Amino acid sequence: MDENVLFNPGDAISESHDYNEALRSADIYNARHGRKRGLMIARPLEQDHGYSVFYADDLLSADTPRPEARQYHVEKRIPKEE
């Protein structure tokens, strides 16, 4: 998957320098809160390292530029439970 998206960095559920740690954080979050909303693990484009976990529906629209928006590359999507 090669997809770039916009998020507000302040909306991150967790952040880590290691992808596996970010994935583990997402799994822990899902275990505690249920998978009522989809999650995304994304890497900021301005940095060479680091991963953030976001709610998938917190994506910002590219049509309305916002100063807090940062570009991220989607590493993994974790769908919500149906």
Side-chain angles (χ1 to χ4, degrees):
M1 166 190 327
D2 193 27
E3 180 181 10
N4 294 333
V5 295
L6 296 175
F7 279 111
N8 177 349
D11 290 340
I13 295 169
S14 72
E15 295 179 348
S16 176
H17 290 295
D18 180 68
Y19 173 79
N20 290 325
E21 286 295 319
L23 184 58
R24 190 173 128 214
S25 293
D27 289 340
I28 290 169
Y29 191 85
N30 279 334
R32 288 186 182 162
H33 301 282
R35 288 178 34 194
K36 299 173 190 154
R37 297 170 68 186
L39 298 176
M40 288 181 141
I41 298 175
R43 179 180 41 82
L45 290 180
E46 305 93 34
Q47 300 173 354
D48 291 339
H49 60 281
Y51 298 89
S52 299
V53 179
F54 293 98
Y55 283 118
D57 55 4
D58 281 348
L59 277 169
L60 298 175
S61 171
D63 298 335
T64 44
R66 298 178 186 178
E68 74 274 8
R70 300 285 182 265
Q71 267 196 318
Y72 288 83
H73 178 75
V74 176
E75 298 291 324
K76 181 171 182 152
R77 288 179 179 264
I78 303 169
K80 67 179 181 176
E81 286 182 342
E82 298 297 327

